[in-house]
Amino acid sequence: MEENLKVYIYKDGEKPIFHSSILEGIYATEGWFLKLLEANKHFVTDIPTEAHLFYLPFSSRLLELTLYVPHSHSRNNLIEYMKTYVDTLIGKYPFWNRTNGEDHFLAACHDWAPAETRGKMVNCIRGLCNADIRAGFVVGKDVSIPTTYVHSAKNPTEDNGGNPSSSERSILAFFAGQMHGRVRPILVNYWGKDPDMKITGPIHHVKGDKSYIEYMKRSKYCICPRGFAVFSPRVVESINYGCVPVIISDDYVPPFFEALNWESFAVFVLEKEVVNLKRILLSISDEKYVEMERGVREVQKHFVWHAEPLKYDQFHMILHSMWYTRVFRTQNPPMNFSSANLKD
């Protein structure tokens, strides 16, 4: 990929939905990727006939902020807007029809992105934070990208790291957050009073209070339950703070699964097994935990943003996933996995 990949970025599309980036908050991944790719000189080409991949430079978050009518409970205008955009590209350029869009890709992090990219766009390589099999994510065609909560656009790696020794991690497991979805209330009801764990609702804090981060740095396992959607920024937070992530989200496909062995540094718990969470964690041997903790530290470099991309960081990993999927897709048909297949 480093030697060969060339990406053409469409110039079409008006700001702020296209060619604009939000670099802080829960949807920052799509913003950072767009910003860094548009500034890249190594992978990007202005000659479309040289390109292996074609990038649709839109922000699903800015699409929502710009066009969604508050309280309308309708996303139809957002879906239609993206459909019109793709139809315009198809009518203006010959590139889409050569592969029916299979060499085009996007990166989108809003919960609604799977819906916004229906119709013809579904044939693209869709990089989605909401990598939900039940919502139409297709293994072998789509790409799961990390949900990274960036607190500071000036310093996206701020506060990363944790206690290097497991003996300094006195809390067995930690979770704090809103009671979104079906899993989190059960988690808190069962384990909220357990003295070995810190399982609670949202931690209310004033600006500058880093108690949430400190809990992650002091915990062996960080619980990453689904909310309304399957994905959570806690997965990347756990990794960045050296805490072994415990993913409780049955239909979620983790980021970079084609390149990383997630079972070597993360624990997967079925949603129905939340009631057995402590038993599952305590059944993990000390040797296995140390191995997983070491794995977390080894993969940290893949889940960070830098103002100037570094090899193997999140920018390169997302681009590699697109490249890998395109190559894979030319050799194999997409796999329609059910959630049952994934659990097995």
Side-chain angles (χ1 to χ4, degrees), residues 145-268:
I145 60 178
T147 306
T148 308
Y149 195 109
V150 176
H151 296 272
S152 170
K154 293 182 179 179
N155 185 12
T157 61
E158 184 180 20
D159 295 321
N160 283 7
N163 295 325
S165 171
S166 58
S167 63
E168 297 179 50
R169 291 181 176 269
S170 58
I171 302 170
L172 175 63
F174 168 67
F175 167 80
Q178 299 288 345
M179 294 296 98
H180 296 157
R182 59 182 180 265
V183 175
R184 296 182 187 184
I186 299 173
L187 176 69
V188 173
N189 287 340
Y190 265 84
W191 302 113
K193 296 181 180 180
D194 191 286
D196 297 324
M197 301 192 280
K198 176 67 175 178
I199 307 292
T200 182
I203 295 177
H204 299 289
H205 60 272
V206 296
K207 186 176 181 180
D209 182 1
K210 297 182 179 180
S211 58
Y212 178 88
I213 293 172
E214 289 305 314
Y215 276 122
M216 279 198 157
K217 291 182 177 182
R218 289 167 47 206
S219 300
K220 294 177 66 176
Y221 299 98
C222 289
I223 312 302
C224 309
R226 64 168 296 152
F228 292 132
V230 296
F231 66 106
S232 166
R234 288 171 182 81
V235 176
V236 173
E237 287 176 337
S238 301
I239 293 170
N240 286 341
Y241 299 134
C243 184
V244 174
V246 179
I247 299 173
I248 310 176
S249 186
D250 291 355
D251 304 306
Y252 177 59
V253 179
F256 314 142
F257 75 95
E258 70 282 348
L260 302 180
N261 178 11
W262 275 83
E263 291 187 349
S264 69
F265 61 88
V267 179
F268 291 85

Side-chain angles (χ1 to χ4, degrees), residues 131 133 139 249-254 337-344:
I133 289 174
V139 176
S249 186
D250 291 355
D251 304 306
Y252 177 59
V253 179
F337 278 45
S338 68
S339 56
N341 294 145
L342 189 65
K343 294 170 196 173
D344 293 338

